[in-house]
Short mmCIF file of all heavy atoms in Angstrom, two decimals:
data_model
loop_
_atom_site.label_atom_id
_atom_site.label_comp_id
_atom_site.label_asym_id
_atom_site.label_seq_id
_atom_site.Cartn_x
_atom_site.Cartn_y
_atom_site.Cartn_z
N SER A 80 23.75 -17.57 -7.40
CA SER A 80 23.67 -19.07 -7.50
C SER A 80 22.23 -19.41 -7.85
O SER A 80 21.33 -18.57 -7.87
CB SER A 80 24.12 -19.65 -6.17
OG SER A 80 23.18 -19.50 -5.12
N ARG A 148 9.46 -23.77 -7.58
CA ARG A 148 10.35 -23.55 -6.43
C ARG A 148 9.68 -22.96 -5.26
O ARG A 148 8.60 -22.34 -5.40
CB ARG A 148 11.51 -22.51 -6.77
CG ARG A 148 12.33 -22.81 -7.94
CD ARG A 148 13.26 -21.65 -8.25
NE ARG A 148 14.07 -21.75 -9.46
CZ ARG A 148 15.30 -22.14 -9.50
NH1 ARG A 148 15.86 -22.56 -8.31
NH2 ARG A 148 15.93 -22.21 -10.62
N TYR A 181 -2.84 15.63 0.21
CA TYR A 181 -3.42 15.29 1.46
C TYR A 181 -2.42 14.99 2.57
O TYR A 181 -2.74 14.16 3.52
CB TYR A 181 -4.45 14.03 1.30
CG TYR A 181 -5.56 14.40 0.52
CD1 TYR A 181 -5.67 14.03 -0.85
CD2 TYR A 181 -6.63 15.20 1.01
CE1 TYR A 181 -6.81 14.29 -1.62
CE2 TYR A 181 -7.66 15.56 0.19
CZ TYR A 181 -7.76 15.12 -1.03
OH TYR A 181 -8.89 15.49 -1.92
N TYR A 205 5.42 -3.34 5.87
CA TYR A 205 5.27 -2.36 6.94
C TYR A 205 6.14 -1.20 6.71
O TYR A 205 7.31 -1.40 6.49
CB TYR A 205 5.68 -3.05 8.25
CG TYR A 205 5.47 -2.17 9.43
CD1 TYR A 205 4.29 -1.78 9.90
CD2 TYR A 205 6.70 -1.67 10.18
CE1 TYR A 205 4.14 -0.88 11.03
CE2 TYR A 205 6.49 -0.75 11.24
CZ TYR A 205 5.28 -0.50 11.69
OH TYR A 205 5.14 0.41 12.72
N PHE A 225 -0.98 -6.79 4.16
CA PHE A 225 -0.74 -8.26 4.07
C PHE A 225 -1.78 -8.80 3.05
O PHE A 225 -2.85 -8.29 2.83
CB PHE A 225 -0.63 -8.94 5.32
CG PHE A 225 -2.04 -8.89 6.00
CD1 PHE A 225 -2.86 -9.89 5.88
CD2 PHE A 225 -2.41 -7.87 6.79
CE1 PHE A 225 -4.19 -9.91 6.44
CE2 PHE A 225 -3.64 -7.77 7.47
CZ PHE A 225 -4.51 -8.77 7.28
#
Side-chain angles (χ1 to χ4, degrees):
S80 70
R148 305 173 184 264
Y181 293 105
Y205 179 70
F225 61 95

